[in-house]
Amino acid sequence: MIAFVSGPVAALAPDSAVVEVGGVGLALQCTPGTLSGLRLGEQTRLATSLVVREDSLTLYGFADDDERQVFELLQTASGVGPRLAQAMLAVHTPDALRIAVSTGDEKALTAVPGIGKKGAQKLLLELKDRLGAPVGSAVPGARPAPAGGWSDQLHTALVGLGYQPREADEAVAAVTPQAEAALAGGGAPQVAQLLRAALQTLNRTR
């Protein structure tokens, strides 16, 4: 098993990063939160989990070992594959998930794209004794965004992908109506979706 990778960041994309290890570029699937902390050319160390399928080998990268452990534990529940586990960690911190499961918080789980009410109820039952107690001081709720909220997180991710701050400002402005619509509907803006929309805007202007 590959427990972690360490090296310079060679490339960044909306849902993945390439880290150079010993002259080899390893592609890792990462959440927007993890990607926003990476910078092209800078050293990084990511905990990893290798998912083996008959026709593929996929490496998932995480900010720390705890996040990697929760990613793997989530997949012990029926119907949860690596993509859904990653989506859960894109919305919630590991401790927020632990608290949601221990308190039976269906709403927290249905905030994850792909999880409905029945699915949330099933997950709460299956994961109840698997995730353990919170290890930090997190409170129930979504993964905290940097100061300034979704716009700062999106701006940081775009700059990390190699865009100029001015271009990132314009892209954030372009998707602001989409984010405000989500807030008006009582939801939270999904940074991953906004990042994809922002990249489409930037590609059209180039």
Side-chain angles (χ1 to χ4, degrees), residues 32 113 175 178 189-198:
V175 301
Q178 183 177 335
Q190 297 293 322
V191 175
Q193 295 175 6
L194 294 173
L195 181 57
R196 284 192 288 270

Side-chain angles (χ1 to χ4, degrees), residues 1-196:
M1 176 183 175
I2 302 174
F4 69 90
V5 299
S6 179
V9 178
L12 289 167
D15 58 358
S16 64
V18 176
V19 178
E20 183 179 340
V21 181
V24 177
L26 297 179
L28 297 91
Q29 298 294 309
C30 304
T31 65
T34 297
L35 291 170
S36 68
L38 303 180
R39 297 292 180 273
L40 283 172
E42 292 188 5
Q43 290 286 324
T44 189
R45 182 185 188 280
L46 296 175
T48 58
S49 179
L50 180 64
V51 176
V52 180
R53 295 287 185 266
E54 288 186 4
D55 58 349
S56 66
L57 295 173
T58 306
L59 200 58
Y60 289 82
F62 307 93
D64 55 42
D65 292 334
D66 183 47
E67 193 170 53
R68 186 260 313 278
Q69 181 182 24
V70 171
F71 171 79
E72 293 174 347
L73 287 172
L74 289 172
Q75 293 176 71
T76 64
S78 59
V80 178
R83 289 290 184 182
L84 183 56
Q86 188 181 47
M88 294 171 75
L89 286 167
V91 175
H92 297 291
T93 64
D95 271 359
L97 281 172
R98 291 186 178 105
I99 294 172
V101 170
S102 65
T103 59
D105 188 352
E106 287 181 22
K107 187 176 180 181
L109 294 188
T110 56
V112 179
I115 299 180
K117 183 177 177 63
K118 289 185 178 179
Q121 292 172 342
K122 186 177 180 182
L123 286 172
L124 288 173
L125 287 173
E126 292 196 31
L127 295 171
K128 188 174 180 62
D129 299 318
R130 300 184 191 180
L131 294 187
V135 297
S137 57
V139 297
R143 178 180 290 277
W150 67 267
S151 58
D152 277 6
Q153 189 173 7
L154 179 58
H155 190 278
T156 299
L158 289 167
V159 173
L161 288 170
Y163 290 97
Q164 296 299 316
R166 177 186 56 78
E167 293 177 304
D169 288 337
E170 293 173 354
V172 169
V175 301
T176 293
Q178 183 177 335
E180 290 178 343
L183 289 169
Q190 297 293 322
V191 175
Q193 295 175 6
L194 294 173
L195 181 57
R196 284 192 288 270

